[in-house]
Amino acid sequence: MRRMNPRELLNAWHIEPKKGLGQNFLHDPNALARIASSAEIGPDDTVVEIGPGTGALTEVLARQAARVIAVELDNRLEPLLEARFGTVGNVRFVFDDILKADVGDLTDGGPYLVVANVPYYITGAILRHLFESQPRPTRMVITMQLEVAEKLVAKPGDLSLIGVSAQFYSKPRIVTKFPPAVFYPRPEVGSAVVRFDVYDVPPVQVPSEAAFFAVARAGFSQKRKQLRNALAGGLALTSDEASALCARAGIDPQRRAETLTLNEWGALARAFAG
Ligand code: SAM
């Protein structure tokens, strides 16, 4: 019997896709294969999937990995997923909000990869949650809105807080782009697959993650302002104190946050903490 695509599965189970949950299901076999191959999954790997939906990607992952742990918020999909994967021994579904789930606990503290076509409305929150989890994933391959993907891989001149954070924790790169037609229903935006090779230690020397993100968050807190003013506002400093902080880091206080390199954010963090 021909395998049902997501639209047919949803119809059969009388489930309407919910826009509010970012439900755009991948139905293109080539797109699914491309995502999985980008993750370079080995036969001993544990893969965490976020939002399995109707299980299209889950099925591909389960064929390649030792085990798949798939976290899905929408309980309506439970009977569909249980029926589809009931006899597949290496897949476990957890019905929970990924932002509340302790990924380290789910994977028993061992190494794991994350492969997911995430709900676009919470991409930033999901990335932050994963980068802050203990242990962090070794590698992630995430399908997301193209515009967000471009921010993650941006270079100094176009950097934003989300790009600085992603590049602090990992080396992100866009693997491929998908048109809306590979999804059902079609999203209104273009999509991209981003692979993140997560660092064991950050690529810049920092006194602490907290200090690094305190200065970065402050620097980006006021759009298009000079660094001095943004840092003063975000760190509750006077303008002179903020200028002195920049001087200690060897950075022109009139520059704008988006132009700083990761190393310069590191220098600011050291000057701030020291
Ligand atoms: N992986 C499937 C695919 O590619 O066809 C579905 C991807 S769809 C873009 C996103 C999935 O994430 C949906 O199944 C949605 O219900 C689920 N989801 C939404 N918010 C979630 C959350 N906070 N935690 C876990 N899953 C969530």
Side-chain angles (χ1 to χ4, degrees):
M1 200 177 75
R2 187 179 67 81
R3 182 165 283 115
M4 284 203 262
N5 66 36
R7 177 188 213 141
E8 292 164 338
L9 274 168
L10 292 166
N11 282 341
W13 290 86
H14 307 292
I15 299 170
E16 276 289 316
K18 276 193 189 163
K19 209 174 172 176
L21 286 179
Q23 291 185 338
N24 300 98
F25 302 98
L26 272 166
H27 60 72
D28 181 319
N30 295 326
L32 293 162
R34 184 79 173 93
I35 294 172
S37 68
S38 308
E40 296 182 78
I41 301 164
D44 296 330
D45 284 335
T46 294
V47 176
V48 172
E49 185 190 1
I50 298 157
T54 62
L57 182 59
T58 320
E59 186 179 292
V60 180
L61 300 175
R63 281 203 294 265
Q64 302 183 13
R67 60 174 180 153
V68 178
I69 300 163
V71 183
E72 172 59 60
L73 180 62
D74 189 352
N75 283 311
R76 296 177 309 159
L77 294 162
E78 189 166 353
L80 183 163
L81 289 168
E82 295 300 345
R84 187 171 178 183
F85 291 91
T87 55
V88 183
N90 68 339
V91 179
R92 175 155 76 96
F93 293 104
V94 176
F95 288 90
D96 196 0
D97 179 348
I98 186 63
L99 299 177
K100 297 199 181 122
D102 183 328
V103 185
D105 259 9
L106 288 179
T107 51
D108 307 320
Y112 63 98
L113 314 180
V114 172
V115 184
N117 169 23
V118 296
Y120 292 0
Y121 73 109
I122 45 169
T123 305
I126 289 175
L127 288 178
R128 186 168 169 186
H129 185 64
L130 294 170
F131 282 135
E132 290 179 355
S133 60
Q134 277 310 322
R136 290 188 187 111
T138 315
R139 185 158 67 247
M140 311 198 286
V141 171
I142 298 188
T143 307
M144 62 182 71
Q145 184 175 345
L146 175 59
E147 200 185 319
V148 177
E150 283 169 344
K151 285 188 185 165
L152 296 174
V153 301
K155 302 246 178 318
D158 284 320
L159 270 170
S160 55
L161 185 57
I162 195 171
V164 168
S165 311
Q167 293 172 31
F168 178 79
Y169 289 116
S170 72
K171 190 170 165 34
R173 69 182 164 90
I174 294 180
V175 174
T176 189
K177 297 177 187 173
F178 289 152
V182 302
F183 300 91
Y184 166 77
R186 294 181 182 199
E188 281 143 21
V189 294
S191 303
V193 178
V194 180
R195 169 170 162 150
F196 305 77
D197 289 284
V198 179
Y199 297 127
D200 289 334
V201 285
V204 290
Q205 197 206 329
V206 292
S208 66
E209 279 182 27
F212 181 85
F213 284 105
V215 291
R217 226 170 265 128
F220 284 108
S221 63
Q222 296 172 34
K223 277 198 179 136
R224 288 179 284 281
K225 279 213 173 166
Q226 292 181 0
L227 191 59
R228 168 182 48 205
N229 298 331
L231 288 174
L235 297 172
L237 304 174
T238 65
S239 182
D240 283 349
E241 286 167 340
S243 291
L245 173 63
C246 292
R248 288 203 301 283
I251 295 167
D252 178 352
Q254 292 184 18
R255 284 176 56 192
R256 291 170 203 278
E258 59 268 26
T259 69
L260 266 62
T261 64
L262 239 67
N263 275 328
E264 288 173 323
W265 286 115
L268 265 179
R270 292 193 296 277
F272 178 61

mmCIF file of all heavy atoms in Angstrom, residues 140-160:
data_model
loop_
_atom_site.group_PDB
_atom_site.id
_atom_site.type_symbol
_atom_site.label_atom_id
_atom_site.label_comp_id
_atom_site.label_asym_id
_atom_site.label_seq_id
_atom_site.Cartn_x
_atom_site.Cartn_y
_atom_site.Cartn_z
ATOM 1 N N MET A 140 23.138 20.152 15.370
ATOM 2 C CA MET A 140 21.700 20.345 15.140
ATOM 3 C C MET A 140 21.483 20.662 13.668
ATOM 4 O O MET A 140 22.290 21.380 13.063
ATOM 5 C CB MET A 140 21.168 21.537 15.950
ATOM 6 C CG MET A 140 21.560 21.528 17.419
ATOM 7 S SD MET A 140 20.513 22.600 18.389
ATOM 8 C CE MET A 140 21.100 24.219 17.926
ATOM 9 N N VAL A 141 20.404 20.134 13.138
ATOM 10 C CA VAL A 141 19.999 20.489 11.775
ATOM 11 C C VAL A 141 18.541 20.918 11.868
ATOM 12 O O VAL A 141 17.663 20.115 12.173
ATOM 13 C CB VAL A 141 20.184 19.299 10.810
ATOM 14 C CG1 VAL A 141 19.557 19.616 9.452
ATOM 15 C CG2 VAL A 141 21.674 18.994 10.645
ATOM 16 N N ILE A 142 18.315 22.206 11.659
ATOM 17 C CA ILE A 142 16.991 22.757 11.939
ATOM 18 C C ILE A 142 16.443 23.503 10.722
ATOM 19 O O ILE A 142 17.116 24.377 10.161
ATOM 20 C CB ILE A 142 17.064 23.669 13.188
ATOM 21 C CG1 ILE A 142 17.491 22.823 14.390
ATOM 22 C CG2 ILE A 142 15.723 24.356 13.430
ATOM 23 C CD1 ILE A 142 17.439 23.516 15.715
ATOM 24 N N THR A 143 15.220 23.145 10.348
ATOM 25 C CA THR A 143 14.530 23.842 9.262
ATOM 26 C C THR A 143 13.757 24.997 9.877
ATOM 27 O O THR A 143 13.028 24.813 10.860
ATOM 28 C CB THR A 143 13.572 22.883 8.524
ATOM 29 O OG1 THR A 143 14.322 21.732 8.146
ATOM 30 C CG2 THR A 143 12.971 23.544 7.290
ATOM 31 N N MET A 144 13.942 26.167 9.310
ATOM 32 C CA MET A 144 13.350 27.371 9.893
ATOM 33 C C MET A 144 13.067 28.399 8.799
ATOM 34 O O MET A 144 13.392 28.184 7.625
ATOM 35 C CB MET A 144 14.327 27.977 10.911
ATOM 36 C CG MET A 144 15.640 28.409 10.272
ATOM 37 S SD MET A 144 16.824 29.085 11.459
ATOM 38 C CE MET A 144 17.308 27.635 12.346
ATOM 39 N N GLN A 145 12.486 29.503 9.213
ATOM 40 C CA GLN A 145 12.219 30.596 8.266
ATOM 41 C C GLN A 145 13.550 31.127 7.715
ATOM 42 O O GLN A 145 14.499 31.355 8.477
ATOM 43 C CB GLN A 145 11.464 31.697 9.002
ATOM 44 C CG GLN A 145 11.052 32.832 8.120
ATOM 45 C CD GLN A 145 10.207 33.845 8.865
ATOM 46 O OE1 GLN A 145 9.699 33.558 9.956
ATOM 47 N NE2 GLN A 145 10.055 35.011 8.291
ATOM 48 N N LEU A 146 13.598 31.337 6.405
ATOM 49 C CA LEU A 146 14.836 31.783 5.744
ATOM 50 C C LEU A 146 15.389 33.074 6.371
ATOM 51 O O LEU A 146 16.592 33.211 6.586
ATOM 52 C CB LEU A 146 14.549 31.992 4.252
ATOM 53 C CG LEU A 146 15.681 32.567 3.416
ATOM 54 C CD1 LEU A 146 16.918 31.678 3.464
ATOM 55 C CD2 LEU A 146 15.230 32.757 1.964
ATOM 56 N N GLU A 147 14.487 33.986 6.673
ATOM 57 C CA GLU A 147 14.933 35.277 7.221
ATOM 58 C C GLU A 147 15.687 35.093 8.553
ATOM 59 O O GLU A 147 16.675 35.789 8.814
ATOM 60 C CB GLU A 147 13.676 36.127 7.452
ATOM 61 C CG GLU A 147 13.923 37.592 7.553
ATOM 62 C CD GLU A 147 12.628 38.321 7.895
ATOM 63 O OE1 GLU A 147 11.568 37.969 7.357
ATOM 64 O OE2 GLU A 147 12.715 39.255 8.722
ATOM 65 N N VAL A 148 15.218 34.158 9.363
ATOM 66 C CA VAL A 148 15.894 33.890 10.641
ATOM 67 C C VAL A 148 17.239 33.206 10.378
ATOM 68 O O VAL A 148 18.267 33.549 10.977
ATOM 69 C CB VAL A 148 15.010 33.014 11.566
ATOM 70 C CG1 VAL A 148 15.737 32.678 12.859
ATOM 71 C CG2 VAL A 148 13.694 33.713 11.858
ATOM 72 N N ALA A 149 17.240 32.261 9.421
ATOM 73 C CA ALA A 149 18.476 31.551 9.074
ATOM 74 C C ALA A 149 19.556 32.555 8.659
ATOM 75 O O ALA A 149 20.724 32.433 9.049
ATOM 76 C CB ALA A 149 18.200 30.558 7.948
ATOM 77 N N GLU A 150 19.159 33.550 7.887
ATOM 78 C CA GLU A 150 20.149 34.526 7.417
ATOM 79 C C GLU A 150 20.716 35.353 8.574
ATOM 80 O O GLU A 150 21.883 35.722 8.572
ATOM 81 C CB GLU A 150 19.515 35.417 6.336
ATOM 82 C CG GLU A 150 19.446 34.636 5.023
ATOM 83 C CD GLU A 150 18.622 35.272 3.925
ATOM 84 O OE1 GLU A 150 17.831 36.193 4.228
ATOM 85 O OE2 GLU A 150 18.769 34.820 2.778
ATOM 86 N N LYS A 151 19.890 35.589 9.583
ATOM 87 C CA LYS A 151 20.394 36.326 10.762
ATOM 88 C C LYS A 151 21.409 35.484 11.537
ATOM 89 O O LYS A 151 22.354 36.004 12.121
ATOM 90 C CB LYS A 151 19.237 36.659 11.706
ATOM 91 C CG LYS A 151 18.378 37.788 11.202
ATOM 92 C CD LYS A 151 17.386 38.190 12.258
ATOM 93 C CE LYS A 151 16.457 39.241 11.700
ATOM 94 N NZ LYS A 151 15.275 39.442 12.502
ATOM 95 N N LEU A 152 21.194 34.181 11.545
ATOM 96 C CA LEU A 152 22.076 33.302 12.324
ATOM 97 C C LEU A 152 23.471 33.218 11.728
ATOM 98 O O LEU A 152 24.452 33.050 12.443
ATOM 99 C CB LEU A 152 21.472 31.895 12.409
ATOM 100 C CG LEU A 152 20.154 31.800 13.152
ATOM 101 C CD1 LEU A 152 19.577 30.404 13.059
ATOM 102 C CD2 LEU A 152 20.332 32.175 14.618
ATOM 103 N N VAL A 153 23.555 33.311 10.403
ATOM 104 C CA VAL A 153 24.864 33.162 9.745
ATOM 105 C C VAL A 153 25.445 34.513 9.324
ATOM 106 O O VAL A 153 26.457 34.564 8.620
ATOM 107 C CB VAL A 153 24.764 32.222 8.509
ATOM 108 C CG1 VAL A 153 24.252 30.847 8.927
ATOM 109 C CG2 VAL A 153 23.871 32.811 7.429
ATOM 110 N N ALA A 154 24.798 35.614 9.757
ATOM 111 C CA ALA A 154 25.241 36.952 9.325
ATOM 112 C C ALA A 154 26.669 37.227 9.773
ATOM 113 O O ALA A 154 27.177 36.645 10.744
ATOM 114 C CB ALA A 154 24.297 38.004 9.900
ATOM 115 N N LYS A 155 27.313 38.141 9.045
ATOM 116 C CA LYS A 155 28.691 38.531 9.368
ATOM 117 C C LYS A 155 28.645 39.898 10.050
ATOM 118 O O LYS A 155 27.647 40.617 9.944
ATOM 119 C CB LYS A 155 29.488 38.651 8.067
ATOM 120 C CG LYS A 155 29.511 37.379 7.221
ATOM 121 C CD LYS A 155 30.925 36.838 7.172
ATOM 122 C CE LYS A 155 31.087 35.550 6.413
ATOM 123 N NZ LYS A 155 30.102 34.503 6.591
ATOM 124 N N PRO A 156 29.751 40.277 10.731
ATOM 125 C CA PRO A 156 29.797 41.615 11.337
ATOM 126 C C PRO A 156 29.440 42.666 10.290
ATOM 127 O O PRO A 156 29.908 42.608 9.162
ATOM 128 C CB PRO A 156 31.253 41.748 11.792
ATOM 129 C CG PRO A 156 31.706 40.333 11.996
ATOM 130 C CD PRO A 156 30.963 39.503 10.989
ATOM 131 N N GLY A 157 28.599 43.592 10.691
ATOM 132 C CA GLY A 157 28.029 44.571 9.755
ATOM 133 C C GLY A 157 26.521 44.362 9.724
ATOM 134 O O GLY A 157 25.749 45.298 9.679
ATOM 135 N N ASP A 158 26.121 43.062 9.846
ATOM 136 C CA ASP A 158 24.691 42.701 9.815
ATOM 137 C C ASP A 158 24.306 41.847 11.013
ATOM 138 O O ASP A 158 23.245 41.235 11.013
ATOM 139 C CB ASP A 158 24.377 41.872 8.556
ATOM 140 C CG ASP A 158 24.319 42.743 7.324
ATOM 141 O OD1 ASP A 158 23.786 43.849 7.429
ATOM 142 O OD2 ASP A 158 24.852 42.304 6.277
ATOM 143 N N LEU A 159 25.176 41.778 12.004
ATOM 144 C CA LEU A 159 24.885 40.866 13.118
ATOM 145 C C LEU A 159 23.768 41.401 14.011
ATOM 146 O O LEU A 159 23.551 42.605 14.115
ATOM 147 C CB LEU A 159 26.149 40.639 13.949
ATOM 148 C CG LEU A 159 27.018 39.463 13.503
ATOM 149 C CD1 LEU A 159 28.363 39.473 14.217
ATOM 150 C CD2 LEU A 159 26.310 38.125 13.748
ATOM 151 N N SER A 160 23.052 40.477 14.625
ATOM 152 C CA SER A 160 22.047 40.822 15.626
ATOM 153 C C SER A 160 22.280 39.890 16.816
ATOM 154 O O SER A 160 23.141 39.002 16.744
ATOM 155 C CB SER A 160 20.642 40.633 15.056
ATOM 156 O OG SER A 160 20.514 39.313 14.570
#
